[in-house]
């Protein structure tokens, strides 16, 4: 049995890739603040211009991850997590739900559009062994910035989840899914036990469909 948890806004309160990238830019002591300001302005413009979170996710990786070493990202992701991880980092009600599912014998899976290296320290901290993350192209340990499949957002989450289950000889029987954003609707619609968290749009859908809703 599997319980799938969205990461950003669900297990944690932050948007991991944005939080990490701001941290990464800040490591440049001479021009970090200027680089961060430029990045945030471009992010704001793209957020307004692009039609969906999937497109924004794809734009981000194409623009900022070309040529980045995975080993270097893993190193800096650990530093980022050590700096960010305190009691305000996690949504405790969802962490509690995760504990309940584990006690019931479920295998917990993080299902996210974020990249593997930034998810790994979070998963290790929470003792989660399964990660479904952005399908980034890796050439000899370096990201090209290209996604080799759909972003793991919206319909891409459903596709990635089914691929994971096929590889692990699993099924959606008695499965749980947790999400906070309307973009999680697609994948929450196919699990047996969808749990909506916090998001106003998702709360409306949850009420219409009789899904459990958690507010923190």
């Amino acid at each position: 049995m599997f319980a799938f948890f969205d990461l950003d806004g669900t297990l944690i309160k932050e948007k991991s890739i944005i939080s990490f990238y701001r941290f990464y830019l800040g490591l440049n002591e001479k021009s970090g603040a200027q680089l961060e300001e430029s990045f945030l302005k471009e992010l704001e413009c793209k957020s307004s211009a692009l039609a969906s979170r999937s497109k924004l996710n794809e734009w981000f990786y194409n623009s900022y991850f070309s040529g980045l070493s995975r080993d270097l990202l893993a190193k800096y992701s650990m530093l980022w997590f050590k700096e960010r991880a305190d009691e305000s980092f996690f949504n405790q009600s969802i962490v509690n739900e995760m504990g309940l599912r584990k006690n019931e014998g479920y295998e917990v899976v993080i299902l996210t559009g974020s990249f593997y290296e930034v998810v790994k320290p979070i998963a290790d901290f929470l003792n989660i062994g399964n990660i479904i993350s952005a399908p980034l192209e890796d050439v000899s340990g370096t990201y090209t910035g290209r996604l080799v499949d759909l972003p793991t957002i919206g319909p891409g989450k459903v596709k990635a989840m089914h691929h994971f289950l096929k590889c692990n000889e699993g099924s959606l029987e008695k499965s749980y899914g947790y999400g906070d954003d309307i973009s999680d609707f697609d994948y929450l619609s196919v699990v047996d036990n969808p749990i909506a968290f916090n998001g106003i749009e998702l709360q409306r859908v949850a009420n219409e469909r009789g899904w459990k809703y958690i507010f923190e």
Side-chain angles (χ1 to χ4, degrees):
M1 299 185 298
F2 293 93
F4 298 90
F5 287 78
D6 170 59
L7 181 65
D8 298 346
T10 303
L11 269 173
I12 67 173
K13 296 179 180 179
E14 303 184 3
K15 296 187 184 300
S16 55
I17 55 176
I18 304 304
S19 178
F20 167 81
Y21 200 68
R22 293 180 68 180
F23 170 82
Y24 176 74
L25 293 175
L27 295 174
N28 187 323
E29 294 182 1
K30 291 184 178 180
S31 57
Q34 184 178 354
L35 290 170
E36 182 180 352
E37 182 180 2
S38 176
F39 165 67
L40 291 175
K41 284 182 179 178
E42 187 172 14
L43 177 64
E44 183 178 4
C45 289
K46 289 296 181 181
S47 297
S48 300
L50 295 175
S52 68
R53 289 184 66 178
S54 292
K55 292 294 184 183
L56 187 64
N57 185 267
E58 192 170 11
W59 162 80
F60 174 82
Y61 289 126
N62 287 339
S63 301
Y64 296 106
F65 266 49
S66 178
L68 287 184
S69 160
R70 295 192 65 177
D71 286 342
L72 197 63
L73 283 170
K75 173 185 175 181
Y76 289 142
S77 291
M78 283 296 300
L79 294 175
W80 165 80
F81 180 68
K82 287 179 180 178
E83 179 182 276
R84 301 301 301 146
D86 56 30
E87 60 183 14
S88 67
F89 183 74
F90 294 98
N91 285 312
Q92 193 56 50
S93 59
I94 300 299
V95 174
N96 292 343
E97 286 283 314
M98 182 196 70
L100 291 174
R101 301 289 82 81
K102 283 184 176 182
N103 289 338
E104 292 168 350
Y106 281 82
E107 283 196 54
V108 173
V109 185
I110 293 178
L111 177 57
T112 178
S114 198
F115 63 101
Y116 179 83
E117 285 74 22
V118 85
V119 183
K120 186 64 165 60
I122 299 171
D124 288 345
F125 182 82
L126 295 173
N127 195 27
I128 298 172
N130 302 297
I131 297 171
I132 303 174
S133 57
L136 283 162
E137 183 178 53
D138 173 352
V139 177
S140 302
T142 299
Y143 283 134
T144 67
R146 177 175 172 266
L147 293 172
V148 297
D149 208 331
L150 294 174
T152 322
I153 297 172
K157 275 191 173 178
V158 178
K159 184 176 181 180
M161 182 173 62
H162 282 302
H163 178 71
F164 170 85
L165 291 170
K166 182 178 180 181
C167 291
N168 289 274
E169 299 182 346
S171 76
L172 289 174
E173 185 179 1
K174 298 182 180 180
S175 58
Y176 277 81
Y178 293 79
D180 73 298
D181 189 81
I182 195 63
S183 63
D184 293 317
F185 170 78
D186 296 277
Y187 112 85
L188 292 178
S189 296
V190 300
V191 297
D192 278 355
N193 299 284
I195 313 292
F197 176 69
N198 272 1
I200 294 175
E201 286 186 275
L202 201 56
Q203 181 185 16
R204 176 181 55 79
V205 172
N207 289 336
E208 291 173 354
R209 292 176 169 252
W211 294 354
K212 181 178 177 180
Y213 179 78
I214 299 173
F215 180 79
E216 181 174 302

